[in-house]
Amino acid sequence: MGEESKITIGNKPLIDYIVSLAILFNQGIRRIIIRGSGDKISKAIAVYNALKERMGDAVKLNDVRIGSENRRGRMVSYIEIVVEKVL
Amino acid sequence: MGEESKITIGNKPLIDYIVSLAILFNQGIRRIIIRGSGDKISKAIAVYNALKERMGDAVKLNDVRIGSENRRGRMVSYIEIVVEKVL
């Protein structure tokens, strides 16, 4: 039922996020948002790059959103990378 | 004549990049690519956020590109934030 899902990048090894993404796509999720904020922004992009390298044309970049949000009174930058499974 | 310009984010203070962007826009450049790679990716987004905060509707986000490139045998992630001056 859920066509969209979100993965927030944290401290786990990069490969763990690739595995999670692959599982979600296999479960029928079509669109996944890879979200990283603060010092996890570059890791979010690294996750996307590693996913793209492994899945190639089976996955496509749908959108990249950037911005900042207030977190406990401090402005923190974020990135949201929207990837879609190509049917 | 140059309608497009590029600023690569490095080690200078954030405000320096904001000033450079403002000067370029004032010189008639319509589109500027803010580029950050590796550990400068989050700073590139912070520069965009700070620019947006100061210039508001006078500037709009045109595109965000992400990817990786080979640098001396090592894959490095990058982001390119394309901002446009609203006429």
PDB file of all heavy atoms in Angstrom, chain B residues 64-85:
ATOM      1  N   VAL B  64      19.135  21.237  -8.242  1.00  0.00           N
ATOM      2  CA  VAL B  64      20.137  20.666  -7.339  1.00  0.00           C
ATOM      3  C   VAL B  64      20.625  19.368  -7.962  1.00  0.00           C
ATOM      4  O   VAL B  64      19.834  18.484  -8.261  1.00  0.00           O
ATOM      5  CB  VAL B  64      19.558  20.362  -5.932  1.00  0.00           C
ATOM      6  CG1 VAL B  64      20.654  19.827  -5.026  1.00  0.00           C
ATOM      7  CG2 VAL B  64      18.933  21.598  -5.311  1.00  0.00           C
ATOM      8  N   ARG B  65      21.919  19.312  -8.216  1.00  0.00           N
ATOM      9  CA  ARG B  65      22.492  18.106  -8.819  1.00  0.00           C
ATOM     10  C   ARG B  65      23.425  17.438  -7.820  1.00  0.00           C
ATOM     11  O   ARG B  65      24.172  18.122  -7.126  1.00  0.00           O
ATOM     12  CB  ARG B  65      23.312  18.459 -10.067  1.00  0.00           C
ATOM     13  CG  ARG B  65      22.567  19.294 -11.092  1.00  0.00           C
ATOM     14  CD  ARG B  65      23.566  19.850 -12.102  1.00  0.00           C
ATOM     15  NE  ARG B  65      22.980  20.926 -12.888  1.00  0.00           N
ATOM     16  CZ  ARG B  65      23.682  21.928 -13.429  1.00  0.00           C
ATOM     17  NH1 ARG B  65      25.004  21.999 -13.254  1.00  0.00           N
ATOM     18  NH2 ARG B  65      23.084  22.863 -14.120  1.00  0.00           N
ATOM     19  N   ILE B  66      23.376  16.133  -7.763  1.00  0.00           N
ATOM     20  CA  ILE B  66      24.316  15.405  -6.907  1.00  0.00           C
ATOM     21  C   ILE B  66      24.996  14.325  -7.729  1.00  0.00           C
ATOM     22  O   ILE B  66      24.484  13.926  -8.770  1.00  0.00           O
ATOM     23  CB  ILE B  66      23.623  14.767  -5.678  1.00  0.00           C
ATOM     24  CG1 ILE B  66      22.452  13.880  -6.128  1.00  0.00           C
ATOM     25  CG2 ILE B  66      23.153  15.822  -4.699  1.00  0.00           C
ATOM     26  CD1 ILE B  66      21.835  13.079  -5.013  1.00  0.00           C
ATOM     27  N   GLY B  67      26.129  13.878  -7.235  1.00  0.00           N
ATOM     28  CA  GLY B  67      26.830  12.813  -7.941  1.00  0.00           C
ATOM     29  C   GLY B  67      28.149  12.523  -7.277  1.00  0.00           C
ATOM     30  O   GLY B  67      28.406  12.977  -6.154  1.00  0.00           O
ATOM     31  N   SER B  68      28.970  11.754  -7.960  1.00  0.00           N
ATOM     32  CA  SER B  68      30.299  11.478  -7.426  1.00  0.00           C
ATOM     33  C   SER B  68      31.301  11.561  -8.559  1.00  0.00           C
ATOM     34  O   SER B  68      30.956  11.360  -9.718  1.00  0.00           O
ATOM     35  CB  SER B  68      30.345  10.104  -6.762  1.00  0.00           C
ATOM     36  OG  SER B  68      30.056   9.095  -7.701  1.00  0.00           O
ATOM     37  N   GLU B  69      32.529  11.883  -8.200  1.00  0.00           N
ATOM     38  CA  GLU B  69      33.570  11.995  -9.213  1.00  0.00           C
ATOM     39  C   GLU B  69      34.842  11.357  -8.688  1.00  0.00           C
ATOM     40  O   GLU B  69      35.062  11.272  -7.482  1.00  0.00           O
ATOM     41  CB  GLU B  69      33.818  13.474  -9.542  1.00  0.00           C
ATOM     42  CG  GLU B  69      34.253  14.284  -8.337  1.00  0.00           C
ATOM     43  CD  GLU B  69      34.253  15.786  -8.583  1.00  0.00           C
ATOM     44  OE1 GLU B  69      33.977  16.201  -9.698  1.00  0.00           O
ATOM     45  OE2 GLU B  69      34.546  16.525  -7.618  1.00  0.00           O
ATOM     46  N   ASN B  70      35.640  10.908  -9.633  1.00  0.00           N
ATOM     47  CA  ASN B  70      36.895  10.266  -9.283  1.00  0.00           C
ATOM     48  C   ASN B  70      37.955  11.340  -9.055  1.00  0.00           C
ATOM     49  O   ASN B  70      38.242  12.123  -9.953  1.00  0.00           O
ATOM     50  CB  ASN B  70      37.305   9.338 -10.435  1.00  0.00           C
ATOM     51  CG  ASN B  70      38.383   8.372 -10.019  1.00  0.00           C
ATOM     52  OD1 ASN B  70      39.347   8.758  -9.360  1.00  0.00           O
ATOM     53  ND2 ASN B  70      38.235   7.113 -10.367  1.00  0.00           N
ATOM     54  N   ARG B  71      38.483  11.382  -7.841  1.00  0.00           N
ATOM     55  CA  ARG B  71      39.549  12.345  -7.556  1.00  0.00           C
ATOM     56  C   ARG B  71      40.766  11.595  -7.020  1.00  0.00           C
ATOM     57  O   ARG B  71      40.755  11.101  -5.903  1.00  0.00           O
ATOM     58  CB  ARG B  71      39.058  13.385  -6.545  1.00  0.00           C
ATOM     59  CG  ARG B  71      39.926  14.640  -6.565  1.00  0.00           C
ATOM     60  CD  ARG B  71      39.481  15.623  -5.508  1.00  0.00           C
ATOM     61  NE  ARG B  71      38.139  16.138  -5.777  1.00  0.00           N
ATOM     62  CZ  ARG B  71      37.420  16.809  -4.888  1.00  0.00           C
ATOM     63  NH1 ARG B  71      37.895  17.022  -3.682  1.00  0.00           N
ATOM     64  NH2 ARG B  71      36.214  17.253  -5.206  1.00  0.00           N
ATOM     65  N   ARG B  72      41.774  11.519  -7.840  1.00  0.00           N
ATOM     66  CA  ARG B  72      42.996  10.776  -7.499  1.00  0.00           C
ATOM     67  C   ARG B  72      42.673   9.343  -7.035  1.00  0.00           C
ATOM     68  O   ARG B  72      43.131   8.897  -5.974  1.00  0.00           O
ATOM     69  CB  ARG B  72      43.778  11.516  -6.405  1.00  0.00           C
ATOM     70  CG  ARG B  72      44.354  12.836  -6.915  1.00  0.00           C
ATOM     71  CD  ARG B  72      45.051  13.607  -5.822  1.00  0.00           C
ATOM     72  NE  ARG B  72      45.165  15.021  -6.167  1.00  0.00           N
ATOM     73  CZ  ARG B  72      45.563  15.964  -5.330  1.00  0.00           C
ATOM     74  NH1 ARG B  72      45.897  15.657  -4.097  1.00  0.00           N
ATOM     75  NH2 ARG B  72      45.639  17.221  -5.698  1.00  0.00           N
ATOM     76  N   GLY B  73      41.817   8.703  -7.817  1.00  0.00           N
ATOM     77  CA  GLY B  73      41.511   7.299  -7.547  1.00  0.00           C
ATOM     78  C   GLY B  73      40.465   7.046  -6.471  1.00  0.00           C
ATOM     79  O   GLY B  73      40.131   5.900  -6.168  1.00  0.00           O
ATOM     80  N   ARG B  74      39.932   8.149  -5.889  1.00  0.00           N
ATOM     81  CA  ARG B  74      38.956   7.989  -4.807  1.00  0.00           C
ATOM     82  C   ARG B  74      37.648   8.636  -5.249  1.00  0.00           C
ATOM     83  O   ARG B  74      37.642   9.710  -5.847  1.00  0.00           O
ATOM     84  CB  ARG B  74      39.485   8.730  -3.571  1.00  0.00           C
ATOM     85  CG  ARG B  74      39.151   8.106  -2.242  1.00  0.00           C
ATOM     86  CD  ARG B  74      39.997   8.735  -1.140  1.00  0.00           C
ATOM     87  NE  ARG B  74      39.750  10.169  -1.007  1.00  0.00           N
ATOM     88  CZ  ARG B  74      38.793  10.694  -0.219  1.00  0.00           C
ATOM     89  NH1 ARG B  74      38.022   9.916   0.495  1.00  0.00           N
ATOM     90  NH2 ARG B  74      38.636  11.998  -0.141  1.00  0.00           N
ATOM     91  N   MET B  75      36.521   7.970  -4.977  1.00  0.00           N
ATOM     92  CA  MET B  75      35.243   8.552  -5.350  1.00  0.00           C
ATOM     93  C   MET B  75      34.822   9.582  -4.289  1.00  0.00           C
ATOM     94  O   MET B  75      34.804   9.286  -3.092  1.00  0.00           O
ATOM     95  CB  MET B  75      34.168   7.468  -5.462  1.00  0.00           C
ATOM     96  CG  MET B  75      34.405   6.478  -6.606  1.00  0.00           C
ATOM     97  SD  MET B  75      34.786   7.256  -8.209  1.00  0.00           S
ATOM     98  CE  MET B  75      33.153   7.814  -8.689  1.00  0.00           C
ATOM     99  N   VAL B  76      34.518  10.779  -4.756  1.00  0.00           N
ATOM    100  CA  VAL B  76      34.118  11.854  -3.856  1.00  0.00           C
ATOM    101  C   VAL B  76      32.743  12.381  -4.282  1.00  0.00           C
ATOM    102  O   VAL B  76      32.504  12.619  -5.465  1.00  0.00           O
ATOM    103  CB  VAL B  76      35.158  13.007  -3.888  1.00  0.00           C
ATOM    104  CG1 VAL B  76      34.740  14.151  -2.967  1.00  0.00           C
ATOM    105  CG2 VAL B  76      36.534  12.500  -3.507  1.00  0.00           C
ATOM    106  N   SER B  77      31.840  12.521  -3.316  1.00  0.00           N
ATOM    107  CA  SER B  77      30.500  13.034  -3.604  1.00  0.00           C
ATOM    108  C   SER B  77      30.535  14.539  -3.787  1.00  0.00           C
ATOM    109  O   SER B  77      31.387  15.223  -3.242  1.00  0.00           O
ATOM    110  CB  SER B  77      29.545  12.708  -2.451  1.00  0.00           C
ATOM    111  OG  SER B  77      29.446  11.328  -2.264  1.00  0.00           O
ATOM    112  N   TYR B  78      29.617  15.053  -4.585  1.00  0.00           N
ATOM    113  CA  TYR B  78      29.510  16.504  -4.734  1.00  0.00           C
ATOM    114  C   TYR B  78      28.051  16.926  -4.854  1.00  0.00           C
ATOM    115  O   TYR B  78      27.170  16.102  -5.099  1.00  0.00           O
ATOM    116  CB  TYR B  78      30.298  16.992  -5.956  1.00  0.00           C
ATOM    117  CG  TYR B  78      29.712  16.552  -7.275  1.00  0.00           C
ATOM    118  CD1 TYR B  78      28.658  17.248  -7.865  1.00  0.00           C
ATOM    119  CD2 TYR B  78      30.190  15.422  -7.928  1.00  0.00           C
ATOM    120  CE1 TYR B  78      28.103  16.843  -9.067  1.00  0.00           C
ATOM    121  CE2 TYR B  78      29.647  15.007  -9.122  1.00  0.00           C
ATOM    122  CZ  TYR B  78      28.602  15.719  -9.688  1.00  0.00           C
ATOM    123  OH  TYR B  78      28.047  15.305 -10.876  1.00  0.00           O
ATOM    124  N   ILE B  79      27.845  18.215  -4.661  1.00  0.00           N
ATOM    125  CA  ILE B  79      26.528  18.802  -4.882  1.00  0.00           C
ATOM    126  C   ILE B  79      26.714  20.074  -5.694  1.00  0.00           C
ATOM    127  O   ILE B  79      27.721  20.783  -5.530  1.00  0.00           O
ATOM    128  CB  ILE B  79      25.803  19.099  -3.541  1.00  0.00           C
ATOM    129  CG1 ILE B  79      24.321  19.453  -3.774  1.00  0.00           C
ATOM    130  CG2 ILE B  79      26.495  20.218  -2.754  1.00  0.00           C
ATOM    131  CD1 ILE B  79      23.484  19.456  -2.498  1.00  0.00           C
ATOM    132  N   GLU B  80      25.786  20.339  -6.593  1.00  0.00           N
ATOM    133  CA  GLU B  80      25.785  21.598  -7.339  1.00  0.00           C
ATOM    134  C   GLU B  80      24.401  22.220  -7.172  1.00  0.00           C
ATOM    135  O   GLU B  80      23.400  21.626  -7.581  1.00  0.00           O
ATOM    136  CB  GLU B  80      26.102  21.370  -8.821  1.00  0.00           C
ATOM    137  CG  GLU B  80      27.565  21.017  -9.048  1.00  0.00           C
ATOM    138  CD  GLU B  80      27.951  20.941 -10.522  1.00  0.00           C
ATOM    139  OE1 GLU B  80      27.039  20.848 -11.367  1.00  0.00           O
ATOM    140  OE2 GLU B  80      29.155  20.966 -10.812  1.00  0.00           O
ATOM    141  N   ILE B  81      24.365  23.380  -6.547  1.00  0.00           N
ATOM    142  CA  ILE B  81      23.114  24.078  -6.282  1.00  0.00           C
ATOM    143  C   ILE B  81      23.030  25.243  -7.271  1.00  0.00           C
ATOM    144  O   ILE B  81      23.877  26.135  -7.254  1.00  0.00           O
ATOM    145  CB  ILE B  81      23.085  24.596  -4.834  1.00  0.00           C
ATOM    146  CG1 ILE B  81      23.291  23.432  -3.856  1.00  0.00           C
ATOM    147  CG2 ILE B  81      21.778  25.326  -4.544  1.00  0.00           C
ATOM    148  CD1 ILE B  81      23.640  23.876  -2.443  1.00  0.00           C
ATOM    149  N   VAL B  82      22.037  25.201  -8.142  1.00  0.00           N
ATOM    150  CA  VAL B  82      21.918  26.233  -9.176  1.00  0.00           C
ATOM    151  C   VAL B  82      20.882  27.272  -8.727  1.00  0.00           C
ATOM    152  O   VAL B  82      19.707  26.961  -8.554  1.00  0.00           O
ATOM    153  CB  VAL B  82      21.502  25.617 -10.523  1.00  0.00           C
ATOM    154  CG1 VAL B  82      21.520  26.681 -11.620  1.00  0.00           C
ATOM    155  CG2 VAL B  82      22.415  24.450 -10.894  1.00  0.00           C
ATOM    156  N   VAL B  83      21.360  28.496  -8.502  1.00  0.00           N
ATOM    157  CA  VAL B  83      20.466  29.572  -8.075  1.00  0.00           C
ATOM    158  C   VAL B  83      20.346  30.626  -9.176  1.00  0.00           C
ATOM    159  O   VAL B  83      21.296  30.899  -9.907  1.00  0.00           O
ATOM    160  CB  VAL B  83      20.951  30.249  -6.762  1.00  0.00           C
ATOM    161  CG1 VAL B  83      20.727  29.335  -5.565  1.00  0.00           C
ATOM    162  CG2 VAL B  83      22.397  30.667  -6.846  1.00  0.00           C
ATOM    163  N   GLU B  84      19.168  31.188  -9.271  1.00  0.00           N
ATOM    164  CA  GLU B  84      18.910  32.192 -10.294  1.00  0.00           C
ATOM    165  C   GLU B  84      18.376  33.462  -9.668  1.00  0.00           C
ATOM    166  O   GLU B  84      17.593  33.422  -8.710  1.00  0.00           O
ATOM    167  CB  GLU B  84      17.858  31.681 -11.284  1.00  0.00           C
ATOM    168  CG  GLU B  84      18.444  31.027 -12.504  1.00  0.00           C
ATOM    169  CD  GLU B  84      17.363  30.668 -13.512  1.00  0.00           C
ATOM    170  OE1 GLU B  84      16.245  31.218 -13.435  1.00  0.00           O
ATOM    171  OE2 GLU B  84      17.653  29.820 -14.360  1.00  0.00           O
ATOM    172  N   LYS B  85      18.793  34.577 -10.229  1.00  0.00           N
ATOM    173  CA  LYS B  85      18.252  35.855  -9.795  1.00  0.00           C
ATOM    174  C   LYS B  85      16.908  36.049 -10.481  1.00  0.00           C
ATOM    175  O   LYS B  85      16.778  35.834 -11.689  1.00  0.00           O
ATOM    176  CB  LYS B  85      19.206  36.981 -10.197  1.00  0.00           C
ATOM    177  CG  LYS B  85      18.811  38.333  -9.643  1.00  0.00           C
ATOM    178  CD  LYS B  85      19.851  39.369 -10.002  1.00  0.00           C
ATOM    179  CE  LYS B  85      19.489  40.724  -9.409  1.00  0.00           C
ATOM    180  NZ  LYS B  85      20.451  41.757  -9.819  1.00  0.00           N
TER     181      LYS B  85
END
